[in-house]
């Protein structure tokens, strides 16, 4: 049982670390070695052909994505609305991967930062796809792609 100042180790954790390129390689090795020692496991990055969803432009093209003029990035989930300011399309892919059963890759070709609001409830894939097409002119499509995964042994 976690006490004051102690983490609940039964929870799920995602770590995202953005590092300067010149320091990234060394720190990745540092963290991997620490995790391997602490947990008694082996980590290895491998490339595999796996099923994914790809986010693509739907017929008719992009709509309701506004080029951002915001100075800072922000994203928040408010009920059934995901509001993004100064975000890339990849942030929408991150949101979608939590709602579907596979990783979501951005294959829209859309560059830059945008402001957008995505509204969807607890829906199945067909409902989410309908919302994407109606709101943004985007669609999810099942595919196989070579992706890098962290293999734990």
């Amino acid at each position: 049982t976690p006490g004051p100042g102690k983490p609940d180790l039964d929870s799920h954790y995602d770590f995202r670390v953005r590092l300067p390129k010149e320091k990234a390689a060394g720190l990745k090795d540092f963290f991997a070695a620490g995790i391997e020692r602490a947990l008694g496991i082996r980590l290895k990055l491998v490339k595999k052909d796996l099923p994914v969803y790809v986010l693509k432009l739907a017929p008719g093209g992009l709509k309701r994505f506004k080029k951002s003029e915001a100075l800072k990035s922000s994203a928040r989930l408010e009920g059934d609305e995901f509001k993004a300011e100064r975000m890339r399309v990849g942030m929408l892919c991150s949101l979608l991967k939590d709602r579907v059963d596979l990783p979501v890759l951005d294959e829209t070709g859309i560059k830059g930062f945008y402001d957008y609001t995505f509204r969807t409830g607890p829906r199945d894939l067909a409902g989410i796809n309908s919302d994407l097409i109606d709101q943004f002119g985007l669609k999810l499509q099942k595919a196989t792609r070579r992706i890098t995964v962290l293999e734990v042994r």
Side-chain angles (χ1 to χ4, degrees):
T1 303
K6 292 185 181 177
D8 176 2
L9 297 179
D10 291 331
S11 295
H12 173 85
Y13 295 94
D14 287 326
F15 292 95
R16 292 185 186 194
V17 180
R18 184 172 291 163
L19 304 167
K21 285 183 181 180
E22 62 276 3
K23 297 191 182 224
L27 284 176
K28 280 194 269 185
D29 294 340
F30 171 79
F31 284 119
I35 290 170
E36 287 177 340
R37 262 192 320 275
L39 301 177
I41 59 175
R42 299 291 303 157
L43 302 175
K44 182 179 180 183
L45 288 175
V46 295
K47 292 191 181 284
K48 292 187 174 189
D49 291 327
L50 294 172
V52 298
Y53 289 110
V54 291
L55 187 64
K56 296 182 164 265
L57 288 172
L62 189 67
K63 53 187 174 185
R64 295 192 199 137
F65 259 60
K66 180 182 154 230
K67 275 278 194 191
S68 184
E69 295 178 13
L71 298 176
K72 292 183 178 180
S73 295
S74 72
R76 61 194 176 280
L77 193 56
E78 296 177 359
D80 290 344
E81 284 189 345
F82 174 72
K83 296 184 178 191
E85 289 183 339
R86 192 169 172 70
M87 290 288 170
R88 297 183 190 274
V89 175
M91 181 57 77
L92 180 59
C93 291
S94 293
L95 171 76
L96 292 170
K97 83 170 176 58
D98 292 336
R99 297 188 177 233
V100 296
D101 58 339
L102 296 171
V104 177
L105 305 178
D106 177 11
E107 292 188 2
T108 62
I110 300 168
K111 305 288 183 215
F113 296 94
Y114 292 86
D115 298 338
Y116 53 91
T117 299
F118 181 54
R119 292 172 191 83
T120 190
R123 314 238 354 224
D124 62 4
L125 180 61
I128 292 170
N129 233 350
S130 178
D131 290 339
L132 285 168
I133 291 167
D134 292 346
Q135 293 175 47
F136 299 136
L138 299 173
K139 65 179 179 177
L140 285 175
Q141 196 172 0
K142 198 167 189 175
T144 299
R145 296 290 185 268
R146 181 165 287 270
I147 61 174
T148 303
V149 295
L150 183 63
E151 198 172 80
V152 179
R153 300 182 203 174

